[in-house]
Amino acid sequence: MPQLGLLHGRAWTVFLGQLRRPPGAVCIRAVRSHSQVAEALFASQLKPQEKSNFIIKTPKGTRDLSPQQMVVREKILNVVVSCFKRHGAKGLDTPAFELKDFDIAGQFDPMIPDAECLKIMCEILSELHLGDFLIKISWKDVRHEMVVKKGLAPEVADRIGDYVQCHGGISLVEQMFQDPRLSQNKQALEGLGDLKLLFEYLTVFGVAEKVSFDLSLARGLDYYTGVIYEAVLLQTPVHAEEEPLNVGSVAAGGRYDGLVGMFDPRGHKVPCVGLSIGVERIFSIVEQRMKTFGEKIRTTETQVFVATPQKNFLQERLKLIAELWDAGIKAELMYKNNPKLLPQLQYCENMGIPLVVIIGEQELKEGVIKLRSVPSREEVAIKRENLVAEVQKRLSES
């Protein structure tokens, strides 16, 4: 059996705990101000002392995420999931995939679910602050859909093809309504009526300006049966007269009324419409922009750090941090009996912790606590019994 290098008891606990976690749930809890040293030490301890064939690798198609990357990813997922819940979604998890989809299944009046899906797309992309975006809508394989499935005459479908190079909102739909070849065909009128109704709902939702009717849009998946849509980010043009450039799709969806019936033993058809958010693509875009602009990312949510400038105050620090924890306040302290004050304060500045609670001999004698604002470096003395209330007040104001 391959021999592993010796690990300390704590390192074994962390290592085995990671092996027990399912993919995607890995959590790294670094040792506070010594996180880089600890990670390097842990990595060195995993190196075998003798030559070994035992190699730990990430599964194909996956990758490890650093604490900074995890923060970015979790923020994106929180925005997506919160929006889904706001629209009444029920959670569904599968062992094989990690998808961020929103689907509406059932028989409903035309275009109401479709309009909500487009509204959801707009909410998520706006909240993620990815920049300007546009949602293109069309329907699956225009000419085939019109001739084979909808029964339109080929010449009518060809007339629709004349509009493929056009794009716009309700005005384009109105223009197609005025075309004699289209207005005289029942099926064409029904389709245009649905699109007009969709834009009316989008106008009520306040997102019509973000949606463009674009017949050139084509989705490659065969299961789409009607309206399809795709959200793209637009690159700001260098010159004012230039049109925004498409820099990639970040969300897509459409209507797929026949897909569910394919998996039903009785072949029951369930009308469905849905959307999918490109979490991985959005993650890559956000990560790259943060690197470009040098944005600093907090890897913890710690609100208060409990510090001391003197020796033999570990128990007093433990009392204070327990009180903060019991009040639901996120707090840390340094895992040393007698830490020096300067490294404690530097750690708070590096990690973006807003408040420091300081206790020493003088504070203990006077029954007070020093509360330090990390950004301003201002310190005030407060009564010991008012600690939690004062911290909560400061946090609510920030």
Side-chain angles (χ1 to χ4, degrees):
M1 178 178 178
Q3 296 295 315
L4 285 175
L6 295 177
L7 293 117
H8 296 304
R10 180 180 176 85
W12 268 117
T13 302
V14 175
F15 176 60
L16 293 175
Q18 297 300 334
L19 292 181
R20 286 196 300 268
R21 291 177 182 271
V26 176
C27 176
I28 300 174
R29 187 170 184 265
V31 182
R32 302 302 196 279
S33 59
H34 303 290
S35 60
Q36 292 182 341
V37 177
E39 289 173 4
L41 177 61
F42 182 72
S44 67
Q45 289 173 329
L46 283 178
K47 293 180 180 178
Q49 295 178 343
E50 298 178 6
K51 188 175 180 180
S52 171
N53 294 325
F54 184 82
I55 301 175
I56 299 176
K57 292 183 178 180
T58 56
K60 289 184 178 181
T62 68
R63 62 167 173 161
D64 292 328
L65 297 178
S66 69
Q68 290 81 7
Q69 290 173 317
M70 282 297 298
V71 171
V72 175
R73 185 178 176 82
E74 286 177 0
K75 285 182 178 180
I76 294 171
L77 293 178
N78 286 341
V79 168
V80 174
V81 173
S82 295
C83 182
F84 287 175
K85 289 182 177 180
R86 188 162 61 242
H87 287 262
K90 299 177 182 178
L92 175 65
D93 192 15
T94 63
F97 303 99
E98 184 180 354
L99 303 174
K100 287 297 169 280
D101 295 347
F102 183 97
D103 299 276
I104 301 173
Q107 188 71 50
F108 302 105
D109 289 340
M111 295 297 121
I112 300 176
D114 308 69
E116 183 172 8
C117 286
L118 292 167
K119 168 68 171 169
I120 290 171
M121 267 192 186
C122 288
E123 288 181 9
I124 291 173
L125 296 178
S126 297
E127 194 172 345
L128 288 173
H129 304 292
L130 298 174
D132 197 15
F133 64 89
L134 181 69
I135 301 176
K136 302 177 181 181
I137 66 170
S138 182
W139 61 78
K140 171 72 176 175
D141 194 354
V142 178
R143 195 180 191 285
H144 178 77
E145 180 77 16
M146 293 296 97
V147 176
V148 178
K149 296 185 178 180
K150 300 297 183 182
L152 287 183
E155 61 271 17
V156 177
D158 290 338
R159 183 57 181 156
I160 292 177
D162 294 340
Y163 290 95
V164 167
Q165 300 304 318
C166 302
H167 54 83
I170 186 66
S171 60
L172 178 58
V173 178
E174 294 283 4
Q175 181 183 344
M176 295 177 72
F177 257 116
Q178 301 304 317
D179 191 306
R181 294 186 183 180
L182 298 180
S183 61
Q184 294 174 7
N185 186 280
K186 181 180 178 181
Q187 288 84 1
L189 280 178
E190 289 178 355
L192 291 172
D194 283 346
L195 286 172
K196 183 178 180 181
L197 188 60
L198 176 62
F199 271 100
E200 288 177 0
Y201 295 153
L202 295 176
T203 301
V204 174
F205 283 152
V207 297
E209 73 281 357
K210 290 293 186 182
V211 180
S212 175
F213 181 44
D214 186 346
L215 283 174
S216 66
L217 175 66
R219 300 285 295 160
L221 298 175
D222 291 336
Y223 56 73
Y224 286 117
T225 58
V227 173
I228 56 175
Y229 33 85
E230 179 178 272
V232 296
L233 297 185
L234 302 176
Q235 190 176 57
T236 304
V238 178
H239 303 291
E241 65 274 10
E242 295 178 350
E243 290 189 2
L245 300 175
N246 177 355
V247 295
S249 171
V250 291
R255 179 159 287 281
Y256 54 101
D257 291 343
L259 183 62
V260 175
M262 293 170 57
F263 300 95
D264 189 313
R266 299 182 180 180
H268 291 163
K269 290 187 177 181
V270 180
C272 296
V273 64
L275 64 100
S276 180
I277 303 297
V279 173
E280 292 302 327
R281 184 172 181 84
I282 292 173
F283 171 73
S284 299
I285 293 170
V286 173
E287 186 181 26
Q288 184 59 46
R289 288 183 179 178
M290 286 183 167
K291 290 179 180 178
T292 302
F293 295 104
E295 184 176 338
K296 190 174 180 179
I297 302 172
R298 283 199 65 187
T299 56
T300 73
E301 298 181 4
T302 305
Q303 299 165 310
V304 182
F305 191 90
V306 179
T308 183
Q310 294 161 333
K311 295 181 178 180
N312 303 319
F313 268 81
L314 176 59
Q315 290 197 16
E316 292 299 327
R317 287 188 293 141
L318 293 177
K319 289 178 184 177
L320 287 173
I321 200 167
E323 186 175 339
L324 294 169
W325 286 337
D326 291 343
I329 297 170
K330 300 168 185 175
E332 290 184 37
L333 52 71
M334 189 169 284
Y335 298 144
K336 285 189 174 182
N337 282 310
N338 301 308
K340 293 182 179 180
L341 182 60
L342 184 57
Q344 297 175 81
L345 298 180
Q346 287 177 335
Y347 173 74
C348 294
E349 292 187 359
N350 292 338
M351 299 299 292
I353 300 173
L355 296 173
V356 184
V357 170
I358 303 175
I359 186 169
E361 292 180 358
Q362 189 66 27
E363 289 79 21
L364 188 61
K365 180 179 178 181
E366 296 176 359
V368 298
I369 298 292
K370 275 187 182 177
L371 190 58
R372 178 186 176 96
S373 169
V374 175
S376 68
R377 300 187 177 182
E378 295 178 354
E379 295 181 357
V380 295
I382 60 173
K383 291 184 178 180
R384 172 70 177 79
E385 59 269 21
N386 295 338
L387 172 63
V388 169
E390 183 63 26
V391 167
Q392 290 174 333
K393 178 184 175 184
R394 294 284 191 98
L395 293 175
S396 65
E397 293 173 350
S398 61

